[in-house]
Amino acid sequence: MIILPGPSSQELANRLAVELRTRLIPVFFKRFPDGESYIRIEGDVKDEDVVVVQTTSPPQDERMMQLFLITSAARDQGAQKITAVVPYFGYSRQDKVFLKGEAFSAKTIVELLKTCGVTQIVTLDAHNPSTLSSFNVPVKDLSAIPLLARYFKDLGFANAVSLSMGKKGAGTAEEAAKILLGGYDYVSTRRNRYTGEVTIEEKPLEVRGKVVIFFDDIISSGGTMIKAVAYAKKQGALKVYVACVHPLLMANAKEKIIESGADEVVGTDSVPSQISVVSVASIIAEALTQGA
Ligand code: R5P
């Protein structure tokens, strides 16, 4: 197995190579003056089992294009198997046609990866893994929630209440609660399909005087988390911590979440950021060792 580090995931790719005790071939990249991407694999991958590591957080379009270029270059060199490790899978939130005429973006991205020679995809806490898996490329979706829960447990937060977003997301809090053992619940969220705005619906939470930890897949604008944290505080939570797998953190999202009442915000290196304190390298390495 050979690791090819994409421009957006160089540190994670290095950690992965160390975990797997495998070879890493550098990928040279640059951007032309007109904005186009250039990549060059600096070694031979003919007949090899290659793993391209490239998260597709903002700027998504550029990172997607780099991923297409690296995987297709590996295909053209004759790589035997091409695994795309895409920790944050951009465009996956557009997982169906909500309004007539919309693009089914998640489907388009998987189809393009297939065209570029990708034989399997490994991702983390994808927005809708079953949709990603339905386009003839095997997709392995891993969960980093236990890693985040263990991070808090190791800091002495056993028995904190695990919370997540929306009824559909309750499984996320349940997964964390298996480690923290303080029970779980969800805040009821509703998103306006036209404006994207999230509102929190009234629903009692048993958090009075307790420490709570929110677990979510993504913090993008932070809008959802800001409202959820304020709601938990209003319900009497003593302290509120926030954990997410993909810290996109657009427009000072972390600072705004702290202002809304959170004590700390942590994330993983799925997306490199100022809060990426938990590494997902171990779970990706394990999945790749098991043939993903
Ligand atoms: C919603 O389904 C997700 O779990 C996140 O809560 C949401 O995508 C976060 O987006 P934002 O930070 O922009 O509110």
Side-chain angles (χ1 to χ4, degrees):
M1 191 183 290
I2 288 178
I3 306 282
L4 300 183
S8 61
S9 290
Q10 305 217 14
E11 275 184 36
L12 177 58
N14 280 325
R15 288 186 191 124
L16 204 50
V18 171
E19 288 268 348
L20 291 165
R21 295 199 182 92
T22 192
R23 205 150 58 89
L24 187 143
I25 292 182
V27 176
F28 175 79
F29 64 95
K30 68 177 180 182
R31 199 201 264 177
F32 289 107
D34 62 359
E36 290 179 359
S37 295
Y38 170 95
I39 72 94
R40 186 177 70 243
I41 300 170
E42 299 189 302
D44 193 4
V45 296
K46 187 167 163 39
D47 297 328
E48 298 285 358
D49 174 357
V50 303
V51 175
V52 180
V53 189
Q54 169 88 339
T55 206
T56 53
S57 50
Q60 290 91 334
D61 293 359
E62 182 180 23
R63 287 173 170 179
M64 281 292 179
M65 184 53 72
Q66 290 167 334
L67 178 59
F68 298 145
L69 294 176
I70 298 167
T71 50
S72 55
R75 175 201 61 197
D76 293 347
Q77 261 200 33
Q80 187 203 62
K81 193 173 154 196
I82 303 173
T83 300
V85 172
V86 190
Y88 174 66
F89 201 97
Y91 287 96
S92 61
R93 285 186 283 180
Q94 187 71 29
D95 58 357
K96 65 176 177 184
V97 174
F98 297 94
L99 300 173
K100 191 174 174 221
E102 280 181 348
F104 189 172
S105 314
K107 177 173 179 250
T108 304
I109 299 294
V110 176
E111 286 172 347
L112 286 169
L113 286 171
K114 187 167 189 242
T115 303
C116 292
V118 169
T119 48
Q120 66 171 347
I121 296 169
V122 175
T123 188
L124 290 175
D125 296 282
H127 188 66
N128 188 341
S130 59
T131 300
L132 288 184
S133 305
S134 53
F135 311 119
N136 287 329
V137 182
V139 177
K140 179 83 182 166
D141 181 54
L142 311 172
S143 175
I145 297 297
L147 292 177
L148 288 164
R150 242 171 262 130
Y151 168 83
F152 280 102
K153 188 172 183 183
D154 291 347
L155 289 177
F157 283 76
N159 292 321
V161 180
S162 302
L163 294 177
S164 54
M165 306 299 175
K167 199 171 183 179
K168 278 195 205 154
T172 301
E174 185 179 6
E175 204 181 358
K178 283 184 187 149
I179 291 163
L180 290 165
L181 306 174
Y184 69 94
D185 204 343
Y186 66 91
V187 290
S188 186
T189 54
R190 181 177 291 275
R191 188 177 287 270
N192 182 310
R193 280 190 187 157
Y194 294 90
T195 63
E197 203 195 329
V198 170
T199 46
I200 307 283
E201 299 174 321
E202 276 303 316
K203 172 182 170 293
L205 298 173
E206 286 189 26
V207 296
R208 186 156 299 281
K210 297 184 180 173
V211 173
V212 308
I213 306 173
F214 275 102
F215 292 89
D216 204 357
D217 53 353
I218 309 168
I219 295 176
S220 178
S221 67
T224 311
M225 195 56 82
I226 288 165
K227 289 179 182 168
V229 168
Y231 187 74
K233 287 295 246 191
K234 202 175 104 192
Q235 295 269 308
L238 181 65
K239 281 184 173 287
V240 181
Y241 294 83
V242 170
C244 75
V245 178
H246 311 296
L248 307 188
L249 304 180
M250 311 311 294
N252 296 324
K254 181 204 158 189
E255 289 71 20
K256 290 183 201 160
I257 293 168
I258 297 285
E259 275 166 29
S260 74
D263 291 86
E264 196 186 342
V265 187
V266 304
T268 80
D269 59 357
S270 157
V271 175
S273 78
Q274 48 169 324
I275 63 159
S276 299
V277 294
V278 173
S279 180
V280 294
S282 61
I283 55 171
I284 296 173
E286 194 185 338
L288 291 171
T289 307
Q290 291 165 358

